[in-house]
Amino acid sequence: MSTHDRNRGDDTTIRPPVIAIDGPSGSGKGTIARKIAARLDWNFLDSGALYRLVAFSALHDAVRLDDVQTLAWVAAGLEIRFVLDATHADGVRVLLHGEDVSEDIRSEAVGEVASHVAAYPAVRDALIDLQRSFLKLPGLVADGRDMGTEVFAFAALKLFLTASVEERAQRRHKQLKDKGMSVSLAGLLEGMKARDERDQTRATSPLRPAEDALVIDCTEMSIEQVLERVLEEARARNLA
Ligand code: DC
């Protein structure tokens, strides 16, 4: 199937091309996705940030985590903006209802709650249109868990980046340390294992590679090596 055909929807509308990058947390997919988007000058979607924003709002407004209806309502009402900012470690600032929550949503506590709320189909449904609204010319690099399997199943290139859980916990530990946060490595490792288990075994859109995804084990690879590999695949599909 050519890139041209893949970008056609069922309704024969031509869509901008998508590179879908999925994988567990700490696999480096966020960094790679941002770098690919910058290199190609494409739009970028950090879908995990949306689940984190739902979690943050729920915590902020003391919504019970078993109150699915209210959580879905929170998800449907998110008013967000991603503002590019080269001075920020993530390269982007996240505004929720006009307020900068970039740091707040990156905490382990918010990540933990995000993984819980992400298991509810009603919450996932409420975020579908918002995620698809990021699809604009000249193209989109989308980072998440179900970009290639659900949200952008027509993506021209699907990647599943993974690494051993020990390596991922180490990377996350270093990331947090660099940001001045002190977290125990053993605690991070346990938390990551539990989150992997939850993300992989939930009934709706579990974390798994799409059938036509290219799986890259990044355990022994540097960011530059992964980036080059991904660009190679993008070039092979005339996307870069
Ligand atoms: O990528 P992240 O760590 O910021 O994601 C936070 C949580 O959101 C993660 O535990 C799983 C969930 N998530 C999801 O279910 N689907 C996505 N497309 C992105 C994230």
Side-chain angles (χ1 to χ4, degrees), residues 1-18:
M1 192 189 288
S2 72
T3 304
H4 177 81
D5 289 337
R6 275 178 191 274
N7 294 341
R8 272 182 192 280
D10 298 338
D11 52 1
T12 73
T13 318
I14 307 280
R15 297 180 170 119
V18 176

Side-chain angles (χ1 to χ4, degrees), residues 3 19 36 39-40 42 156-157 159 224-240:
T3 304
I19 296 179
I36 298 285
R39 188 72 78 91
L40 302 181
W42 282 16
L157 173 58
L159 299 155
E224 287 69 30
Q225 286 172 322
V226 180
L227 186 63
E228 196 35 55
R229 181 74 213 286
V230 175
L231 283 169
E232 224 172 77
E233 295 295 331
R235 283 193 285 266
R237 289 163 178 79
N238 291 326
L239 298 169

